[in-house]
Amino acid sequence: MDFELTQEQEAMKRMVKQFTRLEIAPYAAEWDEKGEFSRATFNYMSELGLAGMSIPEEYGGTELDNLTIALVLEEIAQGCAATATYLAVHNMVAGVIHKFGTVEQKLKWLPVMGSGKKLGAFCLTEPNAGSDAAGIQTTARAEGDYYVINGSKIYITSGGEAEVYVVVVKTGGKKKSAAISTFIVEKGTPGFTFGKTERKMGLNASPNRELVFQDCRIPKENILGSPGQGFKIAMTALESGRINIGSIAVGLAQAALDTAVQYAKERRQFGRPIAGFQGIQFMMADMATDIEAARGLVQRAAFLLDRRKYARTMVAMAKKFATDAAMRITTDAVQIMGGCGYIKEYPVERYMRAAKVLQILEGTNQIQRLIIAKDLLGW
Amino acid sequence: MKILVLMKQTFDTETKISLDANGKIDEAGVNFVVNPYCEFAVEEALRIKERLGAGEVTVLSVGPERAETSIRQCLAMGADKGVLVNTGGLEGGDEFTTAQIVAKAIEKVEYDIILAGFQAVDDGSAQVAPRVAELLGIPQVTVITKLELEDGKAIATREIDDGVEIIEVALPAIFTAQQGLAEPRYPSMKGIMQAKKKPMERYSLADLGLDAGLVGTDGAKVKIVELSLPTPRKGGKIVEGEPAEAAQKVVQLLRSEAKVI
């Protein structure tokens, strides 16, 4: 048992921390305000290898384990949770192509995704299917050398900006989950268009957009994995995705606490810094403890997943606990800072708005509880 | 072209320095980084190599074992080779003794040009590289912001009061970097992973034929008698009221309380 990071992990954390401090954090508020996705920032991150963390070396990546990716995302989320989120999704998409793709698919997509030339998006949610992932209604039917896709997807992270879309659709079959397949669809494919970009409460540097498929013909070789394997692929993607979201929650909470602590030491009321009051001290102590607990849980879940152990329950616990903690901690940070917490001069209101969606995406925290309970009950 | 960079590991400038029970700087909880001025030197070395399309960048550091992480950081940026002279346990050295160690270690390295930070952000003495140049008997140009190389010579721009000085010098020579020479790159993830596989030569003082006594307390020309932290600044005083009235009060206070006028 060893909780020490390796020298490499330390070096990566150090680099990403510095990069976040200088290249991300100063712009995060403006991106959020304007709803701006910064492709230049994604390109810069790609140059440094952050777009190829799930891609093996022979395809130009660094293939890091889930634990190391969690460390990286936690650092980026301290500057901008939205940037960390689309980067996480991109790496997750590259990861499933690496895991389930054919050699031809890997050769075609992985090098360009690792270099950042093509951004990835994962497309599962539909107007009538979110938590009930198996209930999707977008279909693909085989037609000669093609599949023809019809339907729509909503809330897709990087929708419109991304070039590579891994789309989960129904291909028919008796069992509900076995009837699902996964396809790689390129931006620009005829019949594939974008609907409205959502206006959101937060996380605005990462766009979420509707995708529309209207008799969209894609070559048969674009199926990812085998027909009927889509549900498994989606669940595999979500497992690493949930660790990513957990680590983003930890980073976000850490940033909120750091801001609140600094503020509490400087803000004077009743003749002394408010940090001198036990009421504030107790809040900060609870926040710090929750962050460490969340970090420990996320890292342990990543550790288990990296060892190909059964990790689904632990991953669900980590995602639920870390994101619930981030919601509490960012809310408390706003509370500690009072009026300054609520206004946009300070970053904590942005943190609080971002934290909310982390309890929802990549499987709501209610779904995570169901996963945990199912395991408990043996059902 | 063989480029040698002299690098010092220093405290992170954001570190809060404290003293331990023996009055020495407490290293617990301190973050150690590549001295920022040395980072400019490393970056310039990498750019020279990239411009020429060939060459080798070696990073040499004198310090305790922990200095390895900073050498690896330079290797992650793209340097080819590290040299660590491990002085762990050595006490009482100064710029004079450090320069002797560096000069001795350089005997083990091939070079056409040497780059270094013009000063370290910890003690800010700006002495080691110039001393090394003297010991090696080669020219030095300090505090440079630009460096151009031609056949066997270099043209360096250095900062002076109220302007710049442009100096032509024969190689080999030592150049020390000022901010502005080259904005350092971030090490890439791939660079970080490759760094651990890059060669690192290690020497002890004995390996270099140096007597630990003579490059430590006994050899040092400067002895540190005592270290103390700066006295914390007291909060200022704000004089309120109408501007004319307040100004009068300030003058009064400067005379009676601060006793500076």
Side-chain angles (χ1 to χ4, degrees):
Chain A
M1 196 77 177
D2 184 0
F3 289 99
E4 288 290 331
L5 299 183
T6 65
Q7 221 184 59
E8 260 176 57
Q9 287 168 330
E10 290 282 5
M12 287 174 182
K13 243 173 91 91
R14 195 163 51 234
M15 181 277 275
V16 177
K17 186 185 273 302
Q18 176 88 337
F19 181 83
T20 301
R21 193 169 64 84
L22 297 176
E23 317 292 344
I24 293 179
Y27 310 103
E30 192 188 333
W31 292 335
D32 187 66
E33 187 79 28
K34 294 185 179 162
E36 184 183 330
F37 166 78
S38 169
R39 185 69 187 225
T41 303
F42 175 67
N43 291 343
Y44 201 169
M45 291 193 291
S46 304
E47 262 176 52
L48 297 175
L50 297 173
M53 295 189 288
S54 306
I55 295 173
E57 276 181 53
E58 65 260 40
Y59 296 105
T62 47
E63 200 176 13
L64 305 176
D65 54 17
N66 283 292
L67 177 56
T68 310
I69 294 175
L71 297 170
V72 167
L73 292 173
E74 185 190 323
E75 291 299 334
I76 295 175
Q78 291 194 38
C80 177
T83 301
T85 300
Y86 73 69
L87 186 71
V89 171
H90 171 85
N91 277 285
M92 176 185 91
V93 169
V96 290
I97 294 177
H98 162 44
K99 210 161 182 183
F100 296 98
T102 60
V103 173
E104 290 73 24
Q105 286 171 339
K106 291 186 208 187
L107 278 169
K108 183 168 181 195
W109 305 111
L110 296 184
V112 285
M113 289 183 78
S115 69
K117 281 201 189 76
K118 291 189 191 284
L119 173 66
F122 186 74
C123 321
L124 177 64
T125 303
E126 296 184 1
N128 296 312
S131 294
D132 179 12
I136 53 172
Q137 291 167 353
T138 298
T139 59
R141 62 166 200 278
E143 207 182 277
D145 288 341
Y146 291 85
Y147 274 98
V148 183
I149 304 181
N150 276 291
S152 67
K153 296 283 176 185
I154 54 167
Y155 308 153
I156 302 307
T157 298
S158 302
E161 301 289 349
E163 286 83 18
V164 183
Y165 296 81
V166 166
V167 187
V168 186
V169 302
K170 251 166 82 170
T171 38
K174 287 201 184 87
K175 224 180 124 200
K176 218 176 168 191
S177 60
I180 291 171
S181 305
T182 309
F183 294 91
I184 305 171
V185 184
E186 268 184 275
K187 186 182 191 175
T189 306
F192 172 32
T193 54
F194 303 107
K196 68 168 176 178
T197 302
E198 303 296 344
R199 296 176 62 237
K200 295 178 294 180
M201 173 175 168
L203 218 73
N204 293 314
S206 168
N208 290 76
R209 200 162 174 191
E210 183 186 11
L211 314 182
V212 182
F213 299 93
Q214 232 169 355
D215 291 328
C216 173
R217 289 160 69 85
I218 56 157
K220 265 205 159 143
E221 65 260 25
N222 277 21
I223 189 165
L224 186 60
S226 47
Q229 210 187 1
F231 196 73
K232 189 188 169 198
I233 293 174
M235 291 306 120
T236 303
L238 284 178
E239 217 141 83
S240 64
R242 283 169 187 163
I243 288 179
N244 292 345
I245 296 305
S247 51
I248 291 168
V250 173
L252 190 59
Q254 185 70 56
L257 176 63
D258 291 348
T259 312
V261 166
Q262 200 193 339
Y263 179 87
K265 281 157 77 176
E266 287 163 9
R267 168 75 170 169
R268 297 179 71 88
Q269 289 288 277
F270 305 104
R272 57 172 152 160
I274 61 168
F277 296 107
Q278 282 195 340
I280 300 289
Q281 289 175 6
F282 287 1
M283 282 174 87
M284 296 191 302
D286 286 344
M287 291 156 83
T289 308
D290 276 359
I291 290 172
E292 284 303 337
R295 184 178 283 130
L297 202 47
V298 168
Q299 293 184 356
R300 176 145 162 80
F303 174 91
L304 288 177
L305 195 58
D306 286 332
R307 273 152 192 76
R308 304 267 180 269
K309 297 250 170 70
Y310 174 78
R312 177 157 300 170
T313 306
M314 190 67 86
V315 167
M317 288 176 175
K319 194 272 177 182
K320 167 187 104 72
F321 185 82
T323 56
D324 283 350
M327 191 70 248
R328 283 196 304 276
I329 290 161
T330 53
T331 307
D332 283 347
V334 170
Q335 192 66 26
I336 287 172
M337 295 175 64
C340 286
Y342 197 70
I343 61 173
K344 287 179 187 277
E345 296 292 316
Y346 290 86
V348 289
E349 61 81 30
R350 171 164 54 86
Y351 299 158
M352 185 177 163
R353 287 185 286 109
K356 186 65 226 174
V357 78
L358 302 182
Q359 293 179 297
I360 298 168
L361 51 73
E362 233 76 336
T364 63
N365 285 6
Q366 285 66 38
I367 289 291
Q368 308 306 325
R369 286 171 172 89
L370 290 180
I371 293 169
I372 299 162
K374 197 174 151 197
D375 191 34
L376 274 177
L377 298 166
W379 286 353
Chain B
M1 163 113 19
K2 292 190 188 309
I3 309 160
L4 173 63
V5 182
L6 309 181
M7 185 274 292
K8 182 177 185 181
Q9 187 185 48
T10 60
F11 310 121
D12 189 335
T13 45
E14 283 176 18
T15 299
K16 209 172 161 211
I17 305 285
S18 60
L19 301 178
D20 64 17
N22 302 319
K24 290 194 171 157
I25 293 170
D26 190 358
E27 291 194 357
V30 168
N31 230 346
F32 290 96
V33 299
V34 177
N35 171 40
Y37 292 98
C38 296
E39 242 180 341
F40 304 143
V42 172
E43 178 62 36
E44 181 65 17
L46 296 175
R47 289 188 193 183
I48 292 171
K49 181 185 161 183
E50 284 162 1
R51 267 201 304 273
L52 299 175
E56 187 182 57
V57 177
T58 303
V59 175
L60 184 152
S61 194
V62 170
E65 188 63 30
R66 60 168 158 74
E68 184 188 328
T69 56
S70 289
I71 296 177
R72 295 272 177 217
Q73 161 104 359
C74 300
L75 298 178
M77 287 170 73
D80 301 289
K81 208 172 93 182
V83 179
L84 171 65
V85 181
N86 192 333
T87 56
L90 183 72
E91 297 209 10
D94 65 356
E95 292 81 1
F96 171 75
T97 55
T98 303
Q100 285 180 315
I101 300 171
V102 173
K104 200 77 189 165
I106 289 176
E107 288 177 10
K108 307 265 186 192
V109 184
E110 286 180 59
Y111 65 88
D112 299 304
I113 179 171
I114 301 177
L115 298 170
F118 100 83
Q119 65 173 355
V121 293
D122 48 12
D123 53 27
S125 77
Q127 287 188 34
V128 172
R131 285 179 180 277
V132 168
E134 289 300 313
L135 290 170
L136 298 178
I138 62 174
Q140 54 175 294
V141 186
T142 55
V143 205
I144 68 165
T145 53
K146 195 175 171 196
L147 182 63
E148 288 165 283
L149 300 178
E150 282 171 28
D151 251 356
K153 65 176 184 184
I155 298 154
T157 304
R158 69 186 295 265
E159 265 185 8
I160 54 170
D161 290 342
D162 303 328
V164 296
E165 199 169 47
I166 295 169
I167 290 179
E168 188 181 300
V169 61
L171 295 180
I174 289 188
F175 301 88
T176 69
Q178 165 66 305
Q179 182 157 26
L181 178 64
E183 196 54 39
R185 70 195 65 188
Y186 296 98
S188 70
M189 301 298 263
K190 201 166 286 181
I192 291 168
M193 292 180 76
Q194 284 164 350
K196 71 169 176 194
K197 295 174 204 144
K198 289 182 176 176
M200 175 91 73
E201 287 172 23
R202 295 160 183 283
Y203 299 105
S204 64
L205 293 172
D207 295 335
L208 299 177
L210 291 166
D211 180 334
L214 293 177
V215 290
T217 314
D218 296 345
K221 306 272 185 195
V222 173
K223 313 242 187 290
I224 294 174
V225 182
E226 195 192 334
L227 287 170
S228 60
L229 296 171
T231 36
R233 276 216 266 173
K234 296 193 186 86
K237 190 176 250 176
I238 294 171
V239 180
E240 290 174 13
E242 290 299 310
E245 229 174 88
Q248 214 166 23
K249 215 163 171 192
V250 168
V251 173
Q252 226 172 46
L253 286 172
L254 286 173
R255 193 164 291 161
S256 62
E257 216 169 273
K259 297 191 167 79
V260 292
I261 55 171

